[in-house]
Amino acid sequence: MKVLMFGWEFPPHISGGLGTASYGLTKGLANFSDVDVTFVVPKAYGDEDTTKVDKIIGAGDIAIAHRNITFEDVQKKIDFYEVQSNLIPYVGEEEFYKITQKKIKAQSKLVETNEEGCLEFTGKYGADLIQEIYRYSLVARAIAQDNDFDIIHAHDWLAYPAGIEAKKASGKPLVIHVHATDFDRSGGSVNPKVYAIEREGMEAADRIITVSNLTRNIVIEKYGIDPNKVETVYNAVEPIEKKDLSIKKGVDEKIVTFLGRITMQKGPEYFIEAAYKVLEHTDNVRFVMAGNGDLMNKMVTRAAQLGITDKFHFTGFLKGAEVFDMLRISDVYVMPSVSEPFGISPLEAMQADVPVIISKQSGVAEVLKHAIKVDFWDVNALADAIHGIISYPSLPSMFKKYGRLEVDGLEWKKSAEHVKKVYEYTLKLANA
């Protein structure tokens, strides 16, 4: 079975959980000898890791590369296409324009396949996000015409038009993967253009994968999609080597960590308010907010207003090993998300033997048993949970022991096996 997969993030350059999930699923599928994946992603950075490049195919000065990526531990290669683009994950249309309008000048390039099967570009290439998505979909059509595959898989809304164009060009069935909706990102104040793209993708898809039942219900209720068309496949986590996770913290206090985008969706303000309440009762604790986002300045200001800046630290964006190092020195991990389709970071925290507190409004709450779950808005309950873990040694010991056992069973190979069954069922219906 050959899969043509469209996304927009691939390690080492990722902005959040979507890139991690796309990579984990792709690697999980690589465990199956009868599944071959060609992964297409916009190239926004220009400094991708080229250590595993076997072959580069270009057309003139157009930055498109075809390479093979090997997963060394499973001895499997996937085809990987990079397409020059300025797509920025997790950014709305208006914010994207503000970021890019001073950096990008419109260009005109031709999109076609030459005799060697390389891609050339035409069409408008400007600062508008919708035009970026359209450009990506043109590339998708060209790639679909030039490759042999059985099924199409598109990750999240920026890739849905690409998946649709690939389906039009090939007649092959389309599976879309809903990692989030604009209802999650906007708190309910959806962008009509984004909603239209999401709904068009859902209606065009032969099958829809959602990362949780929470997200599945949104797809059904908010987009009017037939429930029989939507299937939940939970995210997972990459296994890590079992070793001593201890690390010298540098301080004697307990450390409570928030790690993620500092945006409305993630509920950072509830973390700060809970921190204030905890500090009213104990001084032996420090709070860390790791990440960046549009609410960063507001959160810094609020911490100052509450007079807790001597016990509250902002690290900025962390990546790669920095994330795991932060988790290793943490005594509690908190994810107070307002609307979280899934949430991989609590799984990573549990791998680092860190007790986790998550909101009931998160998809990961559907699968985790050994985590404390509170309503995102219940600051008192959140503060009580934090205080309990840092004050009573038996609680963290229990969560570390059973949490690690639980998270070790959440493997991408199992999620990939479920996705493979979705492919097989979709192909069966298409060929009926």
Side-chain angles (χ1 to χ4, degrees):
M1 183 193 312
K2 296 181 179 179
V3 183
L4 180 61
M5 189 176 291
F6 293 94
W8 66 78
E9 286 193 344
F10 206 86
H13 295 288
I14 59 174
S15 299
L18 175 60
T20 302
S22 298
Y23 177 77
L25 176 61
T26 305
K27 187 172 181 180
L29 289 169
N31 284 279
F32 302 100
S33 60
D34 57 343
V35 177
D36 294 310
V37 176
T38 296
F39 199 99
V40 186
V41 63
K43 183 178 180 179
Y45 306 97
D47 60 344
E48 299 283 343
D49 181 8
T50 59
T51 58
K52 297 181 181 179
V53 175
D54 293 326
K55 186 178 182 181
I56 296 179
I57 303 173
D61 60 353
I62 305 302
I64 179 166
H66 166 245
R67 63 182 65 184
N68 289 321
I69 292 181
T70 303
F71 298 121
E72 294 179 355
D73 52 337
V74 292
Q75 296 299 311
K76 182 71 176 287
K77 291 185 178 181
I78 68 165
D79 286 324
F80 183 72
Y81 284 90
E82 292 179 326
V83 181
Q84 184 180 13
S85 171
N86 291 284
L87 284 175
I88 303 174
Y90 309 111
V91 173
E93 184 182 358
E94 292 83 2
E95 187 178 354
F96 177 85
Y97 181 75
K98 292 177 183 178
I99 293 172
T100 59
Q101 62 179 332
K102 295 182 180 180
K103 299 180 181 178
I104 302 173
K105 295 181 180 180
Q107 302 177 35
S108 294
K109 296 183 179 179
L110 186 65
V111 181
E112 63 180 21
T113 303
N114 63 20
E115 293 179 355
E116 286 75 32
C118 303
L119 298 180
E120 299 174 355
F121 292 81
T122 44
K124 187 93 178 216
Y125 173 55
D128 185 83
L129 179 58
I130 303 303
Q131 288 299 319
E132 285 284 296
I133 295 170
Y134 174 68
R135 181 176 185 269
Y136 191 31
S137 69
L138 291 179
V139 175
R141 172 176 281 273
I143 291 176
Q145 292 171 339
D146 194 46
N147 284 270
D148 178 37
F149 55 92
D150 302 299
I151 196 165
I152 306 158
H153 188 151
H155 289 280
D156 243 36
W157 74 283
L158 291 177
Y160 294 166
I164 292 172
E165 288 301 315
K167 179 179 179 178
K168 289 179 180 177
S170 66
K172 300 298 173 65
L174 168 65
V175 174
I176 69 165
H177 206 134
V178 184
H179 296 266
T181 70
D182 207 44
F183 286 91
D184 302 298
R185 293 182 291 266
S186 67
S189 302
V190 298
N191 182 317
K193 291 183 180 179
V194 176
Y195 177 85
I197 292 173
E198 289 179 329
R199 185 167 183 174
E200 183 181 12
M202 293 175 190
E203 291 176 343
D206 296 273
R207 194 75 175 162
I208 299 172
I209 295 173
T210 57
V211 295
S212 64
N213 288 327
L214 176 72
T215 304
R216 181 176 185 271
N217 291 336
I218 292 175
V219 168
I220 293 167
E221 296 171 7
K222 301 295 187 182
Y223 295 84
I225 302 302
D226 181 357
N228 294 320
K229 186 178 175 178
V230 191
E231 186 161 353
T232 294
V233 178
Y234 291 113
N235 285 336
V237 69
E238 279 285 294
I240 61 172
E241 182 182 351
K242 295 183 184 296
K243 58 183 179 181
D244 182 13
L245 297 173
S246 61
I247 186 173
K248 188 175 181 179
K249 294 197 300 187
V251 294
D252 293 330
E253 296 104 323
K254 301 292 185 179
I255 295 178
V256 182
T257 300
F258 169 107
L259 196 156
R261 287 178 291 119
I262 305 178
T263 64
M264 177 278 299
Q265 180 189 350
K266 301 295 183 179
E269 63 269 37
Y270 303 105
F271 180 72
I272 289 180
E273 299 301 327
Y276 174 70
K277 290 183 175 295
V278 172
L279 288 166
E280 286 184 313
H281 298 282
T282 180
D283 189 58
N284 189 39
V285 59
R286 291 179 180 269
F287 291 84
V288 176
M289 183 166 283
N292 57 23
D294 60 299
L295 293 184
M296 168 70 91
N297 292 339
K298 185 177 180 181
M299 295 303 102
V300 172
T301 299
R302 183 55 181 159
Q305 290 172 341
L306 293 171
I308 61 174
T309 51
D310 61 326
K311 290 286 188 175
F312 207 102
H313 307 272
F314 295 87
T315 69
F317 182 74
L318 301 181
K319 60 183 179 180
E322 295 174 335
V323 173
F324 196 60
D325 286 343
M326 184 69 246
L327 291 174
R328 289 170 66 198
I329 66 171
S330 300
D331 296 282
V332 187
Y333 173 79
V334 180
M335 188 185 77
S337 296
V338 175
S339 180
E340 187 71 51
F342 187 77
I344 292 177
S345 54
L347 304 184
E348 296 173 330
M350 291 168 72
Q351 284 185 313
D353 291 340
V354 181
V356 301
I357 303 171
I358 57 178
S359 73
K360 294 178 181 178
Q361 291 72 28
S362 63
V364 72
E366 298 173 16
V367 297
L368 287 182
K369 295 179 180 179
H370 297 94
I372 296 179
K373 305 167 190 178
V374 300
D375 289 306
F376 72 85
W377 45 262
D378 196 340
V379 174
N380 289 324
L382 178 55
D384 287 344
I386 294 171
H387 187 266
I389 291 177
I390 65 175
S391 301
Y392 303 100
S394 60
L395 278 178
S397 295
M398 184 271 290
F399 281 116
K400 288 179 182 180
K401 178 181 178 181
Y402 294 105
R404 182 63 181 269
L405 290 173
E406 182 176 23
V407 77
D408 282 348
L410 299 174
E411 299 177 324
W412 275 116
K413 183 178 180 179
K414 294 180 180 178
S415 298
E417 185 176 11
H418 193 168
V419 169
K420 182 173 180 283
K421 291 179 180 178
V422 171
Y423 291 161
E424 291 168 346
Y425 179 75
T426 305
L427 287 169
K428 181 179 178 181
L429 290 181
N431 296 324

